[in-house]
Amino acid sequence: MDAIWWHIFDLLGTTAFAVSGVFAALSRRMDLFGIFVLSAATAVGGGIIRDILIGNIPPAAFKNSIYLWIIVGSIVVVTLTVRYFNIRMWRRFMSHLSALYLLCDAIGLGSFTVTGTLLGCYYYPDYWILDITLGVLTAVGGGVIRDVLAGRIPVVLRTEVYATASLLGSVLLYGAVIPFEVPFEVGAIVSFSVTVAIRLVAIRFHLNVPRIRRKKQGSSF
Amino acid sequence: MDAIWWHIFDLLGTTAFAVSGVFAALSRRMDLFGIFVLSAATAVGGGIIRDILIGNIPPAAFKNSIYLWIIVGSIVVVTLTVRYFNIRMWRRFMSHLSALYLLCDAIGLGSFTVTGTLLGCYYYPDYWILDITLGVLTAVGGGVIRDVLAGRIPVVLRTEVYATASLLGSVLLYGAVIPFEVPFEVGAIVSFSVTVAIRLVAIRFHLNVPRIRRKKQGSSF
Amino acid sequence: MDAIWWHIFDLLGTTAFAVSGVFAALSRRMDLFGIFVLSAATAVGGGIIRDILIGNIPPAAFKNSIYLWIIVGSIVVVTLTVRYFNIRMWRRFMSHLSALYLLCDAIGLGSFTVTGTLLGCYYYPDYWILDITLGVLTAVGGGVIRDVLAGRIPVVLRTEVYATASLLGSVLLYGAVIPFEVPFEVGAIVSFSVTVAIRLVAIRFHLNVPRIRRKKQGSSF
């Protein structure tokens, strides 16, 4: 595995999710500790689940301090920006906050889909279910922990194309690097781009996964 | 351990819980991804917790594709049935949906009580707390994950005889196969039958676990 | 590691959290099974998370039956006391229940901060993030599981100084025993006292972790 590319996507995803966690906590008026927990859970929660499932104990997030500094840095930069913004720029910032949050979240989703799937392909190339599940769980796990801690129904269970984007990216990456032997870094970049693109297109056009409906409408199910 | 009987109960429980997960998702009008997540969490969630606790890494659900096909098959069969039912049969079906759901859930509960406890007895025969806990956690774990993801208080914490049935079946199985050296397959069938019977009797007669009450009524606690 | 002191704090914390879990369940009018689950989740949940993260499989709570007997004993003593209290003493007891609950919870928090951090320092002295995280997760993990199961937002995410007390105690303990080579038992007693003291002072004076605020009040964030 070309470790450089793996680390690039790992750090990119951690940063994007850490920032998205800070945005989420700020919009709920949490205190400093709540901001740290939501930011950390979103940034490293998926990776911890991934490491437990493949037996990488203790999880990487606890061994390498770079993850902590990314989280602390994201909190400092975002909260200082929010704290010292003047009122005119503040309103402009707030009107873009939701878009910024969704963009960071999409970048994190794409990055962690790549890192989870690649790690699975590297250690267990024969278990396709495991590898694709690792991609999806790494990508959506942090958000699930964040939402459960915050007492909300996790975003992946609501109607948007979220985990589906990660699933498609992960299947694409596994299919490319294992049966077709595409180089890991090429597969990673393509899979990241496809996942982020699907997610952003789904947000832009309000796409949803189809529901199961009965042929005739009538009695409510 | 007679591996055939273990696999029979494992597949029976997976199928019953996968179907019950689809019913639960349909009754909440979830989309196709939500149906898959609820069905998969209910069907293999308990087994994944069990495998993490005994160090069976990666968990069996990710190594053997039979679990995925059971989940996909359950979704296809149930949703196609629901989708193409004509309106007359639909109403009859709906009036039995709740009973079908509870029956599938009871069968899954009994099956996974057996598989969890047997696995514990096989690997760690001396740790009775571990073995009985494995039986209960395998049986109720999937439902807990399903309910937490769906933002509900888990069914095991509400007032019905649910985990209690699993606990009694697990204690019976451990007591039979370890101190009394009953053959594994005999203990498994008896334990499964007792667990399912207790659960169904509790549903039929609305039995609850007793509450702690003060002697005199008066000030509310 | 001076194992005696580790076990003393482990048993003290288990007992305090088991009792606090029974109080929590009683105040929500749960049945006997709900009381057992809340008490057990609070008492051993944090330790199970800790053991999974450092690869101590199966977790200690399942191998040593002392934990089960502490939980069962706490339930029997507390519920019998509540059940057979006469009405005059009952009212006096109820007026102190909240204070008793908070005291038990603070003692559990301090004890598990010590046991988690010490275990980390013993097995992985070089990973300071892991060791401090183990202290905090062992201390707050049981409460998080309890609150998630009970459908509440976990106490650590609400505004009190809770995990912060554990974090300070854990940093103090790690800093004392690793760089300054203070004996484990001295560090443990000091860290326990500081954690409990911070928590009780915070309860007494309603201290909160600071929130991030904008400079000018005006548009709501």
Side-chain angles (χ1 to χ4, degrees):
Chain A
M1 180 162 55
D2 190 338
I4 294 295
W5 279 98
W6 191 88
H7 283 297
I8 288 175
F9 279 114
D10 191 40
L11 299 182
L12 179 66
T14 304
T15 311
F17 269 154
V19 170
S20 85
V22 180
F23 284 153
L26 281 179
S27 76
R28 295 172 71 88
R29 305 183 65 84
M30 287 198 170
D31 64 21
L32 204 47
F33 182 77
I35 292 173
F36 179 80
V37 171
L38 275 208
S39 179
T42 317
V44 302
I48 291 172
I49 294 176
R50 177 198 66 204
D51 287 349
I52 290 175
L53 287 179
I54 63 172
N56 181 15
I57 296 292
F62 298 135
K63 288 193 282 197
N64 193 334
S65 60
I66 184 75
Y67 300 100
L68 179 64
W69 300 128
I70 287 177
I71 294 164
V72 171
S74 303
I75 294 172
V76 169
V77 169
V78 174
T79 55
L80 284 188
T81 307
V82 168
R83 182 74 179 73
Y84 290 105
F85 244 79
N86 76 50
I87 189 73
R88 181 188 297 275
M89 291 181 70
W90 171 262
R91 281 188 182 144
R92 192 179 301 160
F93 172 75
M94 286 307 297
S95 66
H96 294 299
L97 178 63
S98 171
L100 271 174
Y101 169 80
L102 290 170
L103 181 65
C104 285
D105 196 59
I107 292 172
L109 189 78
S111 306
F112 280 177
T113 298
V114 167
T115 61
T117 309
L118 278 189
L119 214 63
C121 292
Y122 188 71
Y123 285 111
Y124 302 97
D126 296 332
Y127 294 147
W128 59 274
I129 294 177
L130 176 68
D131 300 344
I132 291 165
T133 310
L134 281 180
V136 177
L137 282 184
T138 309
V140 309
V144 169
I145 294 177
R146 177 194 64 202
D147 290 343
V148 167
L149 287 180
R152 297 186 293 187
I153 295 183
V155 63
V156 298
L157 286 185
R158 284 180 260 138
T159 53
E160 298 152 285
V161 174
Y162 190 85
T164 312
S166 170
L167 180 66
L168 292 175
S170 185
V171 168
L172 182 71
L173 179 51
Y174 182 89
V177 301
I178 300 295
F180 291 102
E181 297 183 5
V182 169
F184 274 2
E185 58 268 33
V186 176
I189 294 169
V190 171
S191 167
F192 170 79
S193 310
V194 168
T195 305
V196 174
I198 293 175
R199 176 70 188 131
L200 292 181
V201 167
I203 293 172
R204 177 67 187 79
F205 295 104
H206 303 287
L207 297 184
N208 286 327
V209 176
R211 277 162 199 282
I212 307 299
R213 279 202 210 80
R214 299 177 36 241
K215 254 178 173 170
K216 294 177 82 169
Q217 58 178 180
S219 63
S220 67
F221 186 40
Chain B
M1 180 163 55
D2 190 338
I4 294 295
W5 278 98
W6 192 88
H7 283 298
I8 287 175
F9 280 113
D10 191 41
L11 299 183
L12 178 65
T14 304
T15 311
F17 269 154
V19 170
S20 85
V22 179
F23 285 153
L26 281 179
S27 76
R28 293 172 71 89
R29 305 183 65 84
M30 287 199 170
D31 64 21
L32 203 47
F33 182 77
I35 293 172
F36 180 80
V37 171
L38 275 209
S39 178
T42 317
V44 302
I48 291 172
I49 293 175
R50 178 198 65 205
D51 287 348
I52 290 175
L53 287 178
I54 63 172
N56 181 15
I57 295 293
F62 298 135
K63 287 193 282 197
N64 192 333
S65 61
I66 184 75
Y67 300 99
L68 180 64
W69 300 129
I70 287 177
I71 294 163
V72 170
S74 302
I75 294 173
V76 169
V77 169
V78 174
T79 55
L80 284 187
T81 307
V82 168
R83 181 75 178 74
Y84 289 105
F85 245 77
N86 77 49
I87 189 75
R88 181 188 297 273
M89 292 180 70
W90 172 261
R91 280 184 184 146
R92 193 178 302 160
F93 172 76
M94 288 305 297
S95 65
H96 294 298
L97 178 62
S98 172
L100 270 174
Y101 168 80
L102 290 170
L103 181 65
C104 285
D105 197 57
I107 293 172
L109 190 78
S111 307
F112 280 177
T113 298
V114 167
T115 61
T117 310
L118 278 189
L119 214 64
C121 292
Y122 188 72
Y123 285 111
Y124 302 97
D126 297 331
Y127 294 148
W128 60 275
I129 295 177
L130 175 68
D131 301 343
I132 291 166
T133 310
L134 281 181
V136 177
L137 282 184
T138 309
V140 309
V144 169
I145 295 178
R146 176 195 64 201
D147 290 343
V148 167
L149 287 180
R152 297 186 291 187
I153 294 183
V155 63
V156 298
L157 286 185
R158 284 180 260 141
T159 54
E160 298 152 284
V161 174
Y162 190 85
T164 312
S166 169
L167 180 65
L168 292 175
S170 186
V171 169
L172 181 71
L173 179 51
Y174 182 88
V177 301
I178 301 294
F180 291 101
E181 298 183 5
V182 170
F184 274 2
E185 58 269 32
V186 175
I189 294 169
V190 172
S191 168
F192 170 78
S193 310
V194 168
T195 306
V196 174
I198 293 174
R199 176 71 188 132
L200 293 180
V201 167
I203 293 172
R204 177 68 187 79
F205 296 103
H206 303 287
L207 299 184
N208 286 327
V209 176
R211 278 161 201 281
I212 308 299
R213 277 200 211 83
R214 298 175 39 239
K215 252 179 174 170
K216 294 178 80 170
Q217 57 178 183
S219 63
S220 66
F221 186 43
Chain C
M1 181 162 55
D2 190 339
I4 294 294
W5 279 98
W6 192 88
H7 283 298
I8 288 174
F9 279 114
D10 190 41
L11 299 183
L12 178 66
T14 304
T15 311
F17 269 154
V19 170
S20 85
V22 179
F23 285 153
L26 281 179
S27 76
R28 295 172 71 88
R29 304 183 66 83
M30 286 198 170
D31 64 21
L32 205 46
F33 182 77
I35 292 172
F36 180 79
V37 170
L38 275 210
S39 179
T42 316
V44 301
I48 291 173
I49 294 176
R50 177 199 67 203
D51 287 348
I52 290 175
L53 287 179
I54 63 172
N56 181 15
I57 296 293
F62 298 134
K63 287 192 283 198
N64 193 334
S65 59
I66 184 75
Y67 300 101
L68 179 64
W69 299 128
I70 288 177
I71 294 164
V72 170
S74 303
I75 294 173
V76 169
V77 169
V78 174
T79 55
L80 284 187
T81 308
V82 168
R83 181 76 178 74
Y84 290 105
F85 244 79
N86 76 49
I87 189 74
R88 182 187 298 274
M89 292 181 69
W90 171 262
R91 279 185 184 146
R92 193 178 302 161
F93 172 76
M94 287 307 297
S95 66
H96 294 298
L97 178 63
S98 171
L100 271 174
Y101 169 80
L102 290 170
L103 181 65
C104 284
D105 197 58
I107 292 172
L109 189 79
S111 306
F112 280 177
T113 298
V114 167
T115 62
T117 310
L118 278 190
L119 213 64
C121 292
Y122 189 72
Y123 285 112
Y124 302 97
D126 296 332
Y127 295 147
W128 60 275
I129 294 177
L130 175 68
D131 301 343
I132 292 165
T133 310
L134 281 180
V136 177
L137 283 184
T138 309
V140 308
V144 169
I145 295 178
R146 177 195 64 202
D147 291 343
V148 167
L149 287 180
R152 297 186 292 187
I153 295 184
V155 62
V156 298
L157 287 186
R158 284 180 259 140
T159 52
E160 298 152 285
V161 174
Y162 190 86
T164 312
S166 169
L167 180 66
L168 292 175
S170 185
V171 168
L172 182 71
L173 179 51
Y174 182 89
V177 301
I178 301 294
F180 291 101
E181 297 183 5
V182 170
F184 275 1
E185 57 269 31
V186 176
I189 293 169
V190 172
S191 167
F192 169 78
S193 311
V194 168
T195 306
V196 174
I198 293 175
R199 176 71 188 132
L200 293 180
V201 167
I203 293 172
R204 177 69 188 77
F205 295 103
H206 303 287
L207 298 183
N208 285 327
V209 177
R211 279 161 198 281
I212 306 299
R213 279 203 209 80
R214 298 175 39 239
K215 252 179 177 170
K216 295 175 79 169
Q217 57 177 181
S219 63
S220 67
F221 184 40

